[in-house]
Amino acid sequence: MTHQPPPQEYARKQTGPLSEAAFTLLVQGVLDYGIFMLDPQGYVISWNAGAERIKGYSAAEILGRHFSVFYPTEDKEAGKPQWELETAVADGRLEDEGWRLRADGSRFWANVVITALWGENGELRGFGKVTRDMSERRAAQHALSERRRLFDHLVQAQETERRRIAWDVHDDSIQAMVAVGMRLELLAERVPESCAAELERLEASVRGAINRLRNLTFRLNPPGIDRHGLIEGLSNHLDDVVGAWGLTRSFEHRLDKEPTPETAITVFRIVQEALLNVRKHAHATAVTLRVESADGGILTRVIDDGTGAPMSRDVVHEHFGIIEMRERAETAGGWWSMRSEPGTGTTVEFWVPSPEPTPPLTDDLP
Amino acid sequence: MTARPSGDSTGSPWRVILCDDNPMLLEALCEVVTAQPDLEVVGTALNADQAIALARRHEPDLVVLDVRFPGGGHFVAKEIARCSPDSRVVAFSAYGDKGSVDEMRNAGVAEYVLKGATNREFLAALRRVASP
Ligand SMILES: Nc1ncnc2c1ncn2[C@@H]1O[C@H](COP(=O)(O)OP(=O)(O)OP(=O)(O)O)[C@@H](O)[C@H]1O
Ligand SMILES: [Mg+2]
């Protein structure tokens, strides 16, 4: 046990008066935490320096606005802001970690605590909300974790499998069908005209199938990413594939560093799927691809000028494109979203972290 | 347009070597080319060594070369340019992506024909290259 000062002396120091004004100053000045209040309906009624730093709104900009502006579209659509308030009312407190939006639309990984505030007569006075920006800690954890290694492994395994299938189709099915097509054409020149027409139809359908198989192998194993890096891979993809669809395309990029192969593949595969959707659904005339370094990762946008049709709630056909894009981004530790406004086109936007390469496994199990 | 009955200025057919690692395709290719009076197949190769040896021995007018060829299409094209400089090479490939096309062009290939083109298109490319 250590020697303790006499209790009375200690107590006198501790109870030094802290006026309400001083306390307000303290809260206002804290930079590491966003601390602010909501009224019972969820409108922002106070704001501090930390909230401004983390979320990018000045007090003048945000006071009086509903706190759901901090949530990504998909969370808003799912009713998460309201649900969080209701939970805080029911349980007294709610804690959550997830993506939130800054004023400029970019995302950060937030730790959020919402506390219900009650008046003396038990009426709901509003909510206290404390927000921390955990983006850096999350990125650091993610980069080191076993999860990252698994993710890299998964991406590579899937690519290897796809490459194998693509080469099998290329080396066997396509070559055999090309041979068949050539022989059919040769035959058509040698038989009486009555049969020739039928042979030509056969030959045309064989050529159609060859083209489809060629596109399939291309989709499975797009040439370029592994050899020349992300930007050139995307650029070639735009030229080879999107160019052939007759879409005007533009490509803007600003990358600080080349990502790991796994990150590059993740970005490429999501862009590929998004572009395929533009082709299949958008009726667009132009598509813009933007790739840039942001928040320690890569922010990508695929913007079309098509119909911007709201997502069809088609129950007959299953849609995997959107699910797969989102899963890829989230498994990589990032986020994915799609905005669509009728008449103005669709924007697919996603961010994935761009960590340093993981060191090779040394503690491999036998 | 009709095919000329004979190939080069002396009246003899253009001499062609065909290179593809798929035997079924190589055979079909051979039949298509053999059927042309102005073209003569002087050899077929299933791999790089065979292709280079044939090119050295025959110094053909034309070489039809698979791009995804064992030993590497672009490598074989460069070797042929070395050992038979007057031979003109036509790349024949199921892949038409920019990377593959550039790689073959850099190796000195004169034409790039996509597998799946009609025989007529394929033969037209051969004739274009043979008499530029
Ligand atoms: N760029 C776009 N423009 C307009 N509508 C789009 C666009 N992208 C997606 N959609 C809509 O969203 C739906 C779901 O897309 P998703 O990629 O999940 O499925 P899909 O393309 O129909 O099928 P698949 O499983 O083959 O990808 C589409 O059916 C389409 O209605
Ligand atoms: Mg789709």
Side-chain angles (χ1 to χ4, degrees), chain A residues 167-241:
Chain A
W167 286 132
D168 279 356
V169 171
H170 174 278
D171 292 346
D172 187 66
S173 316
I174 292 186
Q175 310 299 325
M177 290 178 76
V178 169
V180 169
M182 293 185 113
R183 283 181 185 284
L184 281 173
E185 194 179 337
L186 211 54
L187 205 58
E189 288 164 9
R190 293 175 183 166
V191 296
E193 218 156 293
S194 52
C195 307
E198 179 60 22
L199 283 177
E200 274 158 21
R201 263 200 300 280
L202 269 176
E203 185 216 318
S205 68
V206 168
R207 288 192 203 291
I210 291 171
N211 271 326
R212 287 192 298 279
L213 283 179
R214 193 204 318 284
N215 289 338
L216 172 71
T217 63
F218 237 83
R219 238 183 5 254
L220 285 169
N221 182 32
I225 3 171
D226 34 357
R227 264 185 295 168
H228 307 294
L230 177 61
I231 295 302
E232 198 174 328
L234 288 171
S235 172
N236 287 345
H237 185 73
L238 283 172
D239 290 345
D240 291 336
V241 179

Side-chain angles (χ1 to χ4, degrees), chain B residues 8 25-26 44-46 59 61 66-68 96-97 108 116 121 132:
Chain B
D8 65 19
L25 180 53
L26 191 60
T44 60
L46 285 161
E59 300 193 13
D61 300 302
D66 185 17
V67 172
R68 196 175 132 79
D97 64 288
E121 290 162 340

Side-chain angles (χ1 to χ4, degrees), chain A residues 247-249 278 284-288 303-306:
Chain A
L247 282 172
T248 313
R249 56 203 188 274
V278 173
T285 61
V287 63
T288 300
I303 306 159
D304 71 56
D305 67 346

